[in-house]
Amino acid sequence: MLEESAPDTAGAWRLASQPVRPGNNGGSFAALPHTCKDPEAAIAFLTWITSPANQAAAYEDVQLFPSTPASFDQLDYSGEFYGGQDPLEFFSTAAESVPTSFISTWETVISGTFTLEITNVETSGKDPEAAWEDALTQAEKVLTKRGVES
């Protein structure tokens, strides 16, 4: 959390909306495999762990932002780190406007290729243009092999 890692900068920060609309890079899901030995217990656990009270506790403990809007009412911020702005109010308002989206398996397969090449540029000094071309080539190979692109 910024407040913990840079306390000397208190009051110098402000929160601003990103252009167009709010977005999310992350998220979570839960699934039970058909081999689950006790589906009822698993559902009970998932219901408990994703409850508004537990999501609020997870935010307070490790700043894991809740996915359940009912959690927002259980949280409160009293600091001045963001120059009088309340980050909980800011992000909970934004969270209610984030569009639901689906991330395809193909997207996750391809994103690793680009992540690798970005890392190569940063850590190995690879030429950015060569990294871009290599990422495109690898993405096309993967998609062609899987029958998504011809």
Side-chain angles (χ1 to χ4, degrees):
M1 180 175 208
L2 191 56
E3 290 179 66
E4 293 170 1
S5 60
D8 296 348
T9 63
W13 296 93
R14 300 297 181 273
L15 303 169
S17 299
Q18 68 182 27
V20 183
R21 67 172 189 245
N24 179 29
N25 182 17
S28 58
F29 64 91
L32 298 178
H34 74 279
T35 56
C36 181
K37 294 192 188 304
D38 191 347
E40 289 177 15
I43 291 293
F45 173 75
L46 289 173
T47 301
W48 173 79
I49 198 85
T50 59
S51 71
N54 277 328
Q55 288 197 18
Y59 178 80
E60 295 292 341
D61 188 33
V62 294
Q63 288 74 52
L64 180 62
F65 197 78
S67 62
T68 305
S71 302
F72 305 155
D73 295 337
Q74 298 180 33
L75 299 170
D76 118 37
Y77 178 80
S78 59
E80 288 296 320
F81 190 82
Y82 297 98
Q85 284 182 289
D86 180 346
L88 295 171
E89 181 181 329
F90 181 88
F91 289 115
S92 62
T93 300
E96 291 174 351
S97 303
V98 172
T100 302
S101 62
F102 170 76
I103 298 175
S104 160
T105 304
W106 307 118
E107 186 175 341
T108 57
V109 167
I110 299 307
S111 67
T113 299
F114 289 92
T115 301
L116 172 65
E117 292 301 336
I118 289 170
T119 302
N120 288 341
V121 169
E122 181 180 351
T123 62
S124 304
K126 186 172 184 176
D127 175 61
E129 292 298 323
W132 176 251
E133 290 303 320
D134 290 349
L136 290 177
T137 300
Q138 184 60 28
E140 287 173 7
K141 269 188 205 175
V142 169
L143 293 174
T144 299
K145 182 177 180 182
R146 296 181 186 244
V148 177
E149 183 175 284
S150 55

